[in-house]
Amino acid sequence: AAAAATARPAQPLVPVDAARAEAVAASAAKTRAVHGGERARGGKKTQATLDALTTPIVQSSTFTFRTMKDVVDYAEGRYASFEYGRYGNPTARSVEEKLMALESAEDALVSSSGMNAVTTMLLALVPANGHVVTTTDCYRRTRQFVQTVLPKMGVRCTVLDPADLDGLEAVLAAGGVS
């Protein structure tokens, strides 16, 4: 009898609680900062967070699959989960979902460092043979990356004093800036 009193019916993990998601989306920014990305049923982080009131800090670098079918479904994009911490985890996804809620964004990505964010953005958005314009007061390591690594990929770099509006206008007028 005691076991029956504490047993809870299984809750489906896949359906998303649309009413709760709409309520959070329509709430004030301070409410979205606290509740955005938390406790929504469905999505990638649900199976890892289970029944915690807030998203726990997940320090795992690897995640398991319950069955081989789950592995195949994950590989083919039919099973939402995590594979390896470097590619995301429930804690990071919760932060991303909070940012999405605050900014009314379609998606978000957090990274382990500022340089990681900068290099990922540049490598994703600047095409081969592109042209980047930055300033002399840009973060030094970013400027070094732009001036030493990107040229090896055929990307040109122009560094201007932030007050040099004529120089900026000339570079932009010449075209080809990525």
Side-chain angles (χ1 to χ4, degrees):
T6 59
R8 297 183 337 185
Q11 296 179 354
L13 294 178
V14 177
V16 173
D17 184 348
R20 184 177 194 297
E22 288 176 16
V24 170
S27 61
K30 60 186 175 184
T31 301
R32 291 193 312 269
V34 173
H35 297 291
E38 297 288 349
R39 302 286 297 169
R41 293 288 178 198
K44 289 172 65 171
K45 72 181 192 305
T46 299
Q47 292 175 345
T49 60
L50 300 174
D51 290 328
L53 182 57
T54 59
T55 302
I57 296 173
V58 176
Q59 297 180 356
S60 178
S61 62
T62 57
F63 298 85
T64 62
F65 295 91
R66 288 177 176 80
T67 66
M68 196 62 203
K69 180 182 182 320
D70 289 348
V71 174
V72 171
D73 288 348
Y74 174 80
E76 294 178 358
R78 294 186 305 266
Y79 181 81
S81 187
F82 296 93
E83 171 189 14
Y84 185 64
R86 179 171 294 177
Y87 311 124
N89 72 32
T91 307
R93 188 61 190 161
S94 181
V95 172
E96 293 165 347
E97 289 176 356
K98 286 179 183 297
L99 291 170
M100 291 161 47
L102 285 167
E103 299 294 331
S104 300
E106 182 177 323
D107 208 344
L109 176 67
V110 295
S111 63
S112 59
S113 70
M115 275 307 296
N116 180 279
V118 167
T119 57
T120 299
M121 180 271 306
L122 288 169
L123 292 171
L125 298 178
V126 178
N129 302 312
H131 184 188
V132 174
V133 178
T134 191
T135 61
T136 54
D137 67 348
C138 171
Y139 177 62
R140 182 171 64 100
R141 297 294 184 198
T142 299
R143 196 172 55 254
Q144 287 173 335
F145 178 81
V146 168
Q147 290 180 299
T148 60
V149 176
L150 290 183
K152 294 175 185 176
M153 298 176 199
V155 176
R156 294 179 297 127
C157 176
T158 300
V159 180
L160 297 170
D161 183 288
D164 185 3
L165 297 181
D166 292 335
L168 178 60
E169 286 181 10
V171 169
L172 294 176
V177 175
S178 302

